[in-house]
Structures are given as structure tokens and as C-alpha cells.
């Protein structure tokens, strides 16, 4: 063990145990303090639907739901999710039955390359949970944190409005 500048022994970092519900299943996981939620999902749990786009919270490709609200997994430390309920794109469907938002994205051809699609769908589900989008302008504004390099925004908006319209 090495010494710190004041002569005290340096303490090694140790993993912390967190408990959470992930896609409907209770999990107990050991994570290092600096592990992001995105890295935990992709590298330790093999849930690769959430994408690492910018790794700076600017593109939304990593969007998941924590307690029903959308968050950027790349900016969230895994230890911050202790006790939370998390839903990733892998957890939205119920068996073979797609979530209505997933069905709407297919119906409206709301993707091209598909890289941003998991984050777009999770963000759209979070947007629907918030209940604040009442027209196309609000959907556009409230989805502005999710970028699509292919430019499928019109179809994405149509899919979201289709689901929101059915919920109204």
C-alpha cells in the first residue's frame, strides 16, 4: 500500500454493492465507484441496447428510464441507482409483445440506421410518462435531447404522437 503526501496509508477503492430492479428483476451488483450506469449495463450485464454515442450527455443514445423518468446513462454513476427501478430498451417489451412505443416506431418507420433508436424509444416512453407533451411542437422540444444523425425526426415525432394520441 502506498502512502499519501501527508504520510497516511492510501486506501484502495473497493466495490460497493447496490440493489436495484432492472427490467423487472431484482439485482444485487458489485460496482466500482466510478462505473457509469452505461458501462455497467453494456460491459458487465451485456445489455447492449443502450448506446455509447457521445459519452457526454449530448446525444441521448444512452437514454434509459430510472423510476420511469428518462436519464442519460453515460452521465449517471451506477452507485446513484441503488434502490432504483431501471428499464432499458431490453425491458420494454413483455415477452413477444412489443411496447406500444416500439410498435409505433415500426409502424411509422421511425429509424434508419437504428443506432439512436433504443435511446429515442426510452426517451419517448419517459416523455409519455411525464404527460407534458400535448402537441407536435412540445414533442419536438421535449425530445430535443435525443439526436438522430439520419434525420428521421419527422417519423419519430409521428410515432410518438401516435402513442400519445391513443393515450389521450
Amino acid at each position: 500500500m502506498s502512502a499519501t503526501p501527508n504520510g497516511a496509508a492510501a486506501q484502495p477503492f473497493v466495490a460497493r454493492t447496490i440493489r436495484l430492479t432492472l427490467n423487472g428483476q431484482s439485482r444485487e451488483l458489485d460496482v466500482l465507484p466510478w462505473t457509469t450506469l452505461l458501462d455497467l449495463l453494456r460491459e458487465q450485464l451485456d445489455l447492449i441496447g443502450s448506446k455509447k454515442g457521445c459519452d457526454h450527455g449530448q446525444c441521448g443514445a444512452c437514454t434509459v428510464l430510472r423510476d420511469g423518468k428518462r436519464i442519460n446513462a453515460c452521465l449517471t454513476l451506477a452507485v446513484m441507482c441503488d434502490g432504483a427501478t431501471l428499464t432499458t430498451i431490453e425491458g420494454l417489451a413483455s415477452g413477444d409483445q412489443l411496447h406500444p412505443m416500439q410498435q409505433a416506431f415500426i409502424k411509422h418507420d421511425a429509424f434508419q440506421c437504428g443506432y439512436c433508436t433504443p435511446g429515442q424509444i426510452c426517451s419517448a416512453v419517459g416523455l409519455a410518462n411525464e404527460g407534458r407533451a400535448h402537441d407536435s411542437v412540445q414533442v419536438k422540444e421535449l425530445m430535443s435531447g435525443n439526436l438522430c444523425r439520419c434525420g428521421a425526426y419527422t417519423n419519430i415525432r409521428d410515432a410518438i404522437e401516435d402513442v400519445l394520441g391513443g393515450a389521450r
Side-chain angles (χ1 to χ4, degrees):
M1 200 176 296
S2 62
T4 62
N6 66 2
Q11 298 297 315
F13 285 106
V14 294
R16 178 173 169 202
T17 302
I18 62 171
R19 291 166 188 78
L20 50 85
T21 302
L22 177 61
N23 295 332
Q25 296 182 353
S26 295
R27 304 289 303 257
E28 187 171 298
L29 305 161
D30 292 328
V31 296
L32 293 169
W34 55 81
T35 304
T36 65
L37 177 58
L38 182 60
D39 288 341
L40 174 69
L41 293 171
R42 292 184 58 81
E43 296 173 12
Q44 291 179 249
L45 300 174
D46 293 324
L47 295 173
I48 58 171
S50 304
K51 303 295 191 266
K52 188 175 276 197
C54 67
D55 211 23
H56 289 81
Q58 297 176 346
C59 74
C62 66
T63 304
V64 299
L65 301 171
R66 179 175 63 197
D67 301 324
K69 295 182 171 119
R70 49 200 172 148
I71 61 167
N72 290 330
C74 72
L75 296 180
T76 305
L77 293 175
V79 294
M80 296 166 63
C81 295
D82 191 16
T85 297
L86 299 173
T87 305
T88 67
I89 191 69
E90 293 90 348
L92 285 179
S94 179
D96 290 338
Q97 182 65 38
L98 293 178
H99 185 280
M101 195 65 74
Q102 292 171 308
Q103 291 174 337
F105 267 62
I106 293 169
K107 175 183 172 185
H108 291 277
D109 197 24
F111 47 87
Q112 287 183 31
C113 79
Y115 193 84
C116 72
T117 304
Q120 294 276 1
I121 292 173
C122 283
S123 187
V125 170
L127 174 104
N129 292 344
E130 293 166 10
R132 296 186 304 147
H134 302 292
D135 60 35
S136 185
V137 173
Q138 290 173 332
V139 169
K140 182 178 179 179
E141 175 64 26
L142 294 169
M143 286 295 294
S144 65
N146 290 81
L147 304 180
C148 173
R149 291 183 141 205
C150 300
Y153 294 113
T154 302
N155 296 11
I156 291 168
R157 225 173 13 257
D158 289 346
I160 295 166
E161 288 177 22
D162 191 1
V163 173
L164 292 178
R168 288 184 191 127

